[in-house]
Amino acid sequence: MKIAVSGKGGVGKTTFASFLIKALANEGKKVLAIDADPDANLAQALGVENSEEIVPISEMKTLIEERTEAKVGSMGSFFKLNPKVSDLPEKLSVELDGIKVMVMGGVKTGGAGCICPESTLLKRLVSHVVLARDEAVVMDMEAGLEHLGRGTSMYVDRLIVVVEPGRRSVETAYQIRRLADDLGLKKLSFVGNKLRSDKDKDFLLKEMKDFVFMGFMPYRQEITDADRDGRPPFEKDAETLREVTKMLKELKD
Ligand SMILES: Nc1ncnc2c1ncn2[C@@H]1O[C@H](COP(=O)(O)OP(=O)(O)OP(=O)(O)O)[C@@H](O)[C@H]1O
Ligand SMILES: [Mg+2]
């Protein structure tokens, strides 16, 4: 099961991803959690101590140079397009309660067309993890659509789009669906988050009539509190964890 979690900024991608990762781990699955957001905070949401000290892979200059045989920041020079990455998930992840966490970081050179050693290594690592690893993989993507264009979420079995009951998050969901469709990415699921009332749910169901929802998560003070305390949301909110565990059934078919 290789999953990427996407959606507009702030809708709850990281929160949902951490519940999903915990639910998979509770079922006895080995899970590799990947923070693919340059503004990384998945490790913290999973309860990794001192997560701010984790060096993102995109900043591991020596490693990147060693693997790609190029100088970092040397756009236009020659480097290996197929660097070895198969040992990296073991070497570079932090493990906590059976969950391995890997922080990818961002590549600042920007632009969808950028081919540089850092982005080549990251892309290769993501495709390796998705295509060749046998544990469950959950990737917390950066907000918006760019990762689709860049191909980072191309190989996943399932792209889960988190939406909150608001116009702009729904528009992003439509854009993601359109783009995923263009790219031939078939398996899309949607999760409604931060629902405060039935009115919120009705809004999503009405605005997104032909979308398949895996489930809904209520707005819960416990989740906000956990975030403020720098603790995992599932620690304080067993009820939402149960909801998300139910959603797993849907992922299996
Ligand atoms: N169901 C919920 N109930 C209450 N608060 C929530 C809920 N889901 C998310 N939040 C809060 O909303 C904020 C944004 O959540 P989160 O960081 O998961 O979003 P995100 O989509 O990953 O954001 P970003 O685009 O910045 O990566 C956090 O403060 C989080 O605690
Ligand atoms: Mg996030």
Side-chain angles (χ1 to χ4, degrees), residues 32 34 57-58 63 83-90 92 102-104 118-133 139 152:
L32 180 57
I34 298 187
I57 295 169
S58 67
L63 174 94
K84 181 182 172 206
V85 292
S86 54
D87 57 329
L88 297 183
E90 253 64 47
L92 304 180
M102 212 160 64
V103 179
M104 305 297 268
E118 305 86 303
S119 65
T120 300
L121 187 82
L122 286 194
K123 215 166 155 177
R124 179 117 177 130
L125 181 55
V126 167
S127 57
H128 167 76
V129 154
V130 171
L131 298 172
R133 302 275 304 185
M139 286 202 279
T152 330

Side-chain angles (χ1 to χ4, degrees), residues 8 12 28 33 35 65 71 92 95 110 115 142 148 180-181 192 213 218:
K8 193 183 87 69
D35 197 337
E65 293 187 348
K71 282 265 168 265
L92 304 180
E95 187 156 353
I115 305 172
E142 79 187 282
L148 279 167
D181 210 37
F213 279 94

Side-chain angles (χ1 to χ4, degrees), residues 121-236:
L121 187 82
L122 286 194
K123 215 166 155 177
R124 179 117 177 130
L125 181 55
V126 167
S127 57
H128 167 76
V129 154
V130 171
L131 298 172
R133 302 275 304 185
D134 58 8
E135 70 259 80
V137 175
V138 178
M139 286 202 279
D140 182 18
M141 307 309 291
E142 79 187 282
L145 314 168
E146 224 202 310
H147 58 88
L148 279 167
R150 251 186 288 120
T152 330
S153 49
M154 267 311 281
Y155 310 105
V156 294
D157 305 321
R158 173 101 47 165
L159 183 65
I160 300 179
V161 184
V162 181
V163 286
E164 61 184 359
R167 182 79 50 202
R168 297 208 311 148
S169 123
V170 168
E171 274 166 17
T172 303
Y174 271 90
Q175 286 172 336
I176 290 176
R177 185 170 72 167
R178 217 172 302 132
L179 201 51
D181 210 37
D182 290 346
L183 293 168
L185 215 152
K186 286 277 174 292
K187 290 211 165 174
L188 276 192
S189 302
F190 297 83
V191 171
N193 185 28
K194 302 195 193 180
L195 305 194
R196 292 170 193 265
S197 64
D198 286 343
K199 228 168 92 184
D200 283 345
K201 190 170 172 180
D202 293 345
F203 172 82
L204 286 178
L205 291 174
K206 182 166 162 283
E207 296 297 320
M208 300 176 65
K209 274 200 188 76
D210 57 336
F211 285 69
V212 182
F213 279 94
M214 281 172 69
F216 297 92
M217 306 205 296
Y219 183 92
R220 309 237 323 154
Q221 189 61 45
E222 290 88 335
I223 295 179
T224 323
D225 290 347
D227 183 73
R228 283 182 197 156
D229 298 343
R231 295 304 309 162
F234 46 76
E235 232 174 50
K236 303 211 175 185

